[in-house]
Amino acid sequence: MSGRGVWLRTRARLRRFPALLAGCGEQAAAYGRCVAAAAGGTAELRRDACLEEFRALRECFARAVGPGAG
């Protein structure tokens, strides 16, 4: 039994990621802005400082790559 088929399927799935996640640009930008603002200057980035933005991005990713996507 060869593992080649597994790697071929994995590579094919990874190749689809950029196209699938392209629709999450707005959420990614919002999260990036939040992190940059929260860690700017002398401020220390705190856990959960951008939780709302992170959750929105994570949900977008999950919708993009979830069952039936691609």
Side-chain angles (χ1 to χ4, degrees):
M1 181 179 249
S2 171
R4 185 167 188 238
V6 171
W7 287 112
L8 291 174
R9 287 190 306 273
T10 300
R11 282 190 202 123
R13 209 163 100 189
L14 287 173
R15 281 188 202 109
R16 289 193 320 255
F17 269 25
L20 293 173
L21 302 181
C24 297
E26 184 179 322
Q27 293 84 350
Y31 180 63
R33 282 190 303 269
C34 182
V35 169
T42 59
E44 183 177 319
L45 184 59
R46 301 271 185 209
R47 180 185 173 125
D48 296 339
C50 300
L51 185 59
E52 182 179 331
E53 293 83 355
F54 175 76
R55 285 184 175 158
L57 180 59
R58 184 181 64 188
E59 288 170 12
C60 184
F61 284 171
R63 281 191 307 271
V65 299

